[in-house]
Amino acid sequence: MRLIEVIRGKETSDETIDKLVKIAKDLDKEPLVVKKDIRGFIANRVYRALRYHCVILYLRGIYDFIQIDSALVHKIGVPMGVFELLDFTGGLQLEISEGRIVNAIKAEVPDWEPHVGFEKAFNEYLKFAEKRVNEGRIGVK
């Protein structure tokens, strides 16, 4: 992958960021400085939102798995569709595990991430994931 996300923590100095950006460029990578340490950083956060919306389209019967993944691969240009990627990565189980601790983390660290408006899509996705896992439909990993 060409992109490297350089994460700025609460106490990360400008000097450290500059050094990491230089290292990334020396490796012929494209550095992207992430200004706040949030779950998923930038690329995964954007992909997560895409994944949730794809699942909602599927759950509402608007499109099937093949249509959604085909559109993502052939129109948007991602290397693998949402559902295919879930099959190969164990993403369903990971999200279920994460879902169990999200509220506890938010209670402990209220500024952990921007989450207003995100939770409804996450909860719909979580229902989908739990149903698939309970049915033993967890992909090939």
Side-chain angles (χ1 to χ4, degrees):
M1 296 180 69
R2 291 219 2 95
L3 180 70
I4 291 182
E5 292 179 277
V6 178
I7 313 306
R8 179 181 292 280
K10 286 182 181 179
E11 298 181 29
T12 307
S13 69
D14 288 340
E15 180 184 11
T16 299
I17 293 294
D18 292 343
K19 285 180 183 179
L20 290 170
V21 165
K22 183 182 180 322
I23 290 169
K25 288 180 178 178
D26 288 347
L27 294 170
D28 198 30
K29 301 293 184 176
E30 185 65 38
L32 179 67
V33 177
V34 178
K35 296 178 183 178
K36 185 174 181 183
D37 184 3
I38 62 169
R39 178 175 55 137
F41 310 128
I42 296 175
N44 286 330
R45 184 87 177 189
V46 169
Y47 189 77
R48 178 176 288 194
L50 176 67
R51 184 173 65 238
Y52 292 171
H53 286 286
C54 289
V55 167
I56 290 168
L57 288 171
Y58 167 76
L59 290 174
R60 294 208 166 91
I62 298 169
Y63 301 106
D64 64 24
F65 295 118
I66 294 170
Q67 291 170 314
I68 293 168
D69 277 3
S70 293
L72 293 172
V73 171
H74 300 294
K75 291 277 188 172
I76 295 177
V78 298
M80 193 178 288
V82 163
F83 296 102
E84 185 180 14
L85 189 61
L86 284 172
D87 277 352
F88 283 102
T89 62
L92 297 173
Q93 294 97 319
L94 292 171
E95 292 266 15
I96 290 169
S97 295
E98 181 181 324
R100 292 184 182 129
I101 62 168
V102 166
N103 289 330
I105 293 171
K106 286 190 307 189
E108 196 71 28
V109 186
D111 67 343
W112 172 50
E113 66 170 28
H115 60 298
V116 177
F118 191 73
E119 291 179 53
K120 186 174 181 181
F122 175 68
N123 289 330
E124 283 202 48
Y125 176 85
L126 210 48
K127 289 177 195 171
F128 165 80
E130 288 171 344
K131 182 177 186 293
R132 300 290 286 196
V133 168
N134 290 337
E135 293 170 348
R137 299 173 68 188
I138 58 174
V140 296
K141 290 187 280 324

